[in-house]
Amino acid sequence: MVIINPGNPCGSVYSYQHLEKVAETARKLGIMVISDEVYGHLTFGSAPFVPMGVFASTVPVLTLGSISKRWIVPGWRMGWLVTNDPNGILQDSGIVASIKDYLNISSDPPTFIQAAVPQIIENTKDGFFSKINNILGEAADTCYGKIQDIPCIICPHKPEGSMFVMVKLNLTLLEGIDDDVDFCLKLAKEESVMVLPGIAVGMKNWLRITFAIEPSALEVGFERLKVFCQRHAKQ
């Protein structure tokens, strides 16, 4: 079973109770849990981040982590796998050995990045993380508020983590727009604003918007988005 928490692209953050049910369900099915936590701790809503590994006594968990998101160095492309397996199930079944064999045939990140990671993890102050979360939280508030002013875009859930929000297009309010891809192409051409069409993540006629940009640029981007939607609104 694979989970992504905090979620990309919806910005959802699973509660302790929900993750507990995930662990129990996986145990009953006799399967492991792979938990993608590259946005771990990047939360700013009411739900705190809970690592799936805390339920490892119930079910074996393989955690995916990354330095690129929480430390805001996306170009480094550096991540890790952690086995949470106090009962030794992954070890005894050969899964750990298989992972190590695969790593031996894959390309590695640059050695200077590998050398820097331990120091970065050990020496980064808590204030750095709280500052990043505060900035993202304020940007999410701005994003959610601006969306309310655009009738043809609906945000069903305010993001509580990661750097993205998913919004639904109401094409019945627009003229000359065929679908989400057409919307994004014309928005880029007319307003130089780029958002991801939802079909790229399997959600047709939705949009993925990132708010991990400068606040002033975010304000300008939403003003241009609003003008674009007004220009294409049905009269």
Side-chain angles (χ1 to χ4, degrees), residues 30-190:
I31 58 177
M32 64 183 291
V33 175
I34 300 174
S35 184
D36 181 341
E37 298 177 3
V38 298
Y39 289 97
H41 301 282
L42 283 178
T43 58
F44 33 81
S46 57
F49 170 67
V50 179
M52 190 66 205
V54 302
F55 303 101
S57 59
T58 302
V59 64
V61 177
L62 185 65
T63 299
L64 283 63
S66 171
I67 200 169
S68 63
K69 303 302 189 295
R70 192 182 181 202
W71 279 265
I72 318 299
V73 283
W76 284 30
R77 317 307 297 172
M78 177 71 185
W80 49 80
L81 301 176
V82 177
T83 56
N84 307 274
D85 185 30
N87 299 319
I89 297 173
L90 299 180
Q91 187 76 43
D92 296 342
S93 62
I95 291 177
V96 173
S98 295
I99 292 173
K100 289 181 178 179
D101 288 342
Y102 176 78
L103 292 175
N104 288 332
I105 64 172
S106 65
S107 59
D108 295 320
T111 52
F112 76 90
I113 294 180
Q114 295 184 53
V117 166
Q119 291 291 322
I120 292 172
I121 292 177
E122 291 173 9
N123 298 328
T124 304
K125 305 298 183 184
D126 289 341
F128 171 83
F129 300 121
S130 59
K131 179 181 179 181
I132 294 299
N133 283 359
N134 288 338
I135 291 172
L136 288 174
E138 291 174 2
D141 289 340
T142 298
C143 189
Y144 188 74
K146 293 292 185 181
I147 289 170
Q148 310 309 308
D149 296 331
I150 305 175
C152 64
I153 296 178
I154 302 165
C155 181
H157 178 73
K158 182 179 178 180
E160 296 185 314
S162 79
M163 307 171 179
F164 306 98
V165 61
M166 288 297 292
V167 297
K168 184 173 178 58
L169 273 177
N170 185 349
L171 292 176
T172 63
L173 299 180
L174 297 172
E175 199 164 27
I177 302 293
D178 297 329
D179 54 24
D180 54 322
V181 174
D182 190 39
F183 182 96
C184 292
L185 288 173
K186 289 176 178 174
L187 176 63
K189 183 178 181 180
E190 296 178 23

Side-chain angles (χ1 to χ4, degrees), residues 205-226:
N205 294 331
W206 288 67
L207 308 171
R208 190 191 76 166
I209 300 174
T210 179
F211 46 83
I213 60 174
E214 290 289 334
S216 58
L218 190 63
E219 295 271 357
V220 171
F222 270 104
E223 285 304 314
R224 294 185 183 186
L225 177 59
K226 184 176 181 179

